[in-house]
Amino acid sequence: MKKNITKEQIVDTALELMRNKSDLRGLNLRGIARTLGCAHTNLYNYFPSYNDLLWETHAAVQEIFMKMLRKKLDIANTAELRLTYFFEAFVEMYLDNKGWFRLAWHEYIDGDRPQGDIEATEATNKMLNQHISDIWQELYGEYPNADTTKRVLHNTHCYIVGEISNYLLGRGLIANEAELKTYITREAVRMFRLCLASSD
């Protein structure tokens, strides 16, 4: 059995096991340790409980998403394409990694929320608002109001979460996943654009 297991290995393994899992509570530290080939007591050196590990993976998913978003934005050669790719990134991340979506938006995680997760979320939101503000400036020649942008982006994101939640529960308007991705992305772009333009 392995003995020198790092915190990063535990988080990476947990994320891989969660990636498309419909029941995150079907996992536990023993199962993750079995996958790693170590005693489950090794995991307790880093995570006193499964909830502690869930909080850590919650923060890690945000970092993974931001890396994916930056890659998508870097290959877009127009502001219009960047606007589409910005919202497409959310849809792809959530539908291609359904277990991570459940972790981010459906799973109740017990215990006090760690400061590290709070800081990760704040940093992510700050970067998202900066990205979308930069795109808006490219499109229209001026930066939008920061508070308005934050509110409209939040509302648009809630729309995306709602559509994907309905789909995962078998209650979506569109059953074909590829068609759904295109639809949600298009509607999110339209919603964000209309709401932000009418708020200025």
Side-chain angles (χ1 to χ4, degrees), residues 92-148:
E92 288 183 350
M93 177 71 168
Y94 294 158
L95 286 175
D96 293 346
N97 307 281
K98 296 177 181 69
W100 294 355
F101 173 77
R102 292 182 175 96
L103 170 67
W105 302 110
H106 288 186
E107 186 68 30
Y108 174 74
I109 307 177
D110 202 7
D112 293 332
R113 187 180 179 191
Q115 187 61 32
D117 185 74
I118 294 171
E119 291 172 1
T121 301
E122 289 175 350
T124 297
N125 287 335
K126 183 177 179 179
M127 286 187 283
L128 288 172
N129 280 283
Q130 187 60 58
H131 281 308
I132 199 66
S133 294
D134 289 342
I135 293 168
W136 192 266
Q137 192 277 333
E138 285 185 76
L139 287 168
Y140 299 108
E142 61 182 8
Y143 281 97
N145 175 273
D147 289 337
T148 305

Side-chain angles (χ1 to χ4, degrees), residues 5 7 10-11 22 81 91 95 115 123 128 155 159 166 190:
I5 299 297
K7 183 177 184 179
I10 297 169
V11 172
S22 59
L81 202 52
V91 181
L95 286 175
Q115 187 61 32
L128 288 172
N155 292 344
Y159 159 73
N166 285 342
R190 186 181 67 83

Side-chain angles (χ1 to χ4, degrees), residues 27-96:
L27 280 177
N28 55 43
L29 293 180
R30 286 180 181 273
I32 294 166
R34 195 162 36 250
T35 301
L36 282 164
C38 69
H40 71 276
T41 50
N42 290 6
L43 275 62
Y44 289 121
N45 292 328
Y46 300 102
F47 302 105
S49 72
Y50 182 55
N51 284 310
D52 293 309
L53 177 56
L54 286 178
W55 280 121
E56 192 75 25
T57 54
H58 185 267
V61 163
Q62 297 181 70
E63 185 177 340
I64 293 168
F65 170 72
M66 289 307 299
K67 287 180 181 177
M68 173 196 170
L69 175 63
R70 283 191 290 269
K71 283 182 180 179
K72 285 184 73 70
L73 294 179
D74 285 345
I75 63 172
N77 54 15
T78 67
E80 286 286 349
L81 202 52
R82 275 189 281 282
L83 182 62
T84 298
Y85 282 6
F86 181 88
F87 289 105
E88 186 179 75
F90 289 100
V91 181
E92 288 183 350
M93 177 71 168
Y94 294 158
L95 286 175
D96 293 346

Side-chain angles (χ1 to χ4, degrees), residues 83-92 159-160 179-191:
L83 182 62
T84 298
Y85 282 6
F86 181 88
F87 289 105
E88 186 179 75
F90 289 100
V91 181
E92 288 183 350
Y159 159 73
I160 295 171
E179 291 177 13
L180 182 68
K181 284 182 180 181
T182 301
Y183 175 79
I184 297 175
T185 300
R186 185 179 66 244
E187 289 301 297
V189 169
R190 186 181 67 83
M191 183 182 301

